[in-house]
Amino acid sequence: MDRPVHRIEVITNGPDETFALAKRLGQLIDSKTTIALSGDLGAGKTVFVQGLADGLDVPEGCYVTSPTYTIVNEYPARIPLFHIDLYRISSSDELESAGIHEILDGKGVIAVEWAERAGTDVLPADIAVSITIMDDTRRNIAFFFYGPQAQYLIQGLDPDNKNDIHMEQ
Ligand code: ADP
Ligand code: MG
């Protein structure tokens, strides 16, 4: 991809901070967006999607948890949220039968855990979020913004320029 990538890194101290950061992102999102999440088991991808869901106004009664027996969970929200977890996926046929093309053609926010298991050609992301475990409570959360919304989202996530921001060609 030739588009410039905007990158911002944030360190969170505890799940509440990761939730709040993702919630802020959810509040800023106002159109169809695909978010690819990567990071080891227990990094905080699901916590991130829970915060995102809150920011998108998924009703409180909907408990957001990783889809276990299905690949996709759909939640009603300001913009419908599709939560996909590819941890157990064994072939791309499973994504096809889960209706991935219809979802990608739709207008929802798509948050994908273990997105790297599908490949960027199958799931082109507007935002990639890579979470690294630093210790028991700290996570390094790197955002890579590919879409035209990059500047707006970075400004919204980091209004005081507190975090490391990079522009890469
Ligand atoms: P994943 O979906 O990446 O496998 P989960 O979100 O299910 O991970 O779990 C993350 C775990 O790490 C939770 O038990 C959470 O309480 C814990 N945790 C500790 N510190 C953080 C942090 N800074 N951000 C997110 N989760 C954290
Ligand atoms: Mg998870």
Side-chain angles (χ1 to χ4, degrees):
M1 225 180 301
D2 301 329
R3 285 180 294 169
V5 180
H6 292 73
R7 177 161 67 99
I8 172 174
E9 276 182 43
V10 181
I11 292 172
T12 61
N13 201 336
D16 293 355
E17 284 190 21
T18 297
F19 184 97
L21 180 68
K23 176 172 178 171
R24 182 86 192 109
L25 178 64
Q27 289 168 333
L28 291 165
I29 288 177
D30 59 4
S31 54
K32 172 189 172 81
T33 305
T34 301
I35 304 170
L37 293 143
S38 58
D40 290 344
L41 212 55
K45 300 178 294 298
T46 300
V47 169
F48 192 97
V49 179
Q50 288 166 344
L52 186 74
D54 203 25
L56 288 166
D57 299 333
V58 168
E60 300 231 335
C62 295
Y63 183 65
V64 175
T65 183
S66 266
T68 312
Y69 301 106
T70 50
I71 293 174
V72 185
N73 279 348
E74 181 180 355
Y75 300 96
R78 190 160 49 73
I79 305 173
L81 171 65
F82 296 88
H83 183 191
I84 302 180
D85 192 330
L86 302 182
Y87 184 59
R88 291 186 183 77
I89 197 154
S90 49
S91 83
S92 56
D93 292 354
E94 288 175 47
L95 258 181
E96 305 264 337
S97 45
I100 189 66
H101 295 296
E102 289 79 357
I103 294 170
L104 286 169
D105 286 345
K107 297 209 179 329
V109 171
I110 308 171
V112 192
E113 297 190 39
W114 299 98
E116 62 272 30
R117 301 203 170 182
T120 49
D121 48 336
V122 183
L123 278 172
D126 301 298
I127 306 171
V129 179
S130 170
I131 309 179
T132 309
I133 300 176
M134 299 172 76
D135 59 31
D136 280 359
T137 57
R138 286 189 310 150
R139 304 291 188 264
N140 179 296
I141 304 184
F143 295 87
F144 301 82
F145 296 97
Y146 299 98
Q149 297 274 66
Q151 300 276 23
Y152 161 77
L153 293 173
I154 287 182
Q155 171 67 22
L157 281 179
D158 188 26
D160 304 322
N161 265 329
K162 279 194 303 197
N163 300 288
D164 263 350
I165 299 182
H166 311 261
M167 238 279 277
E168 287 160 7
Q169 211 62 51

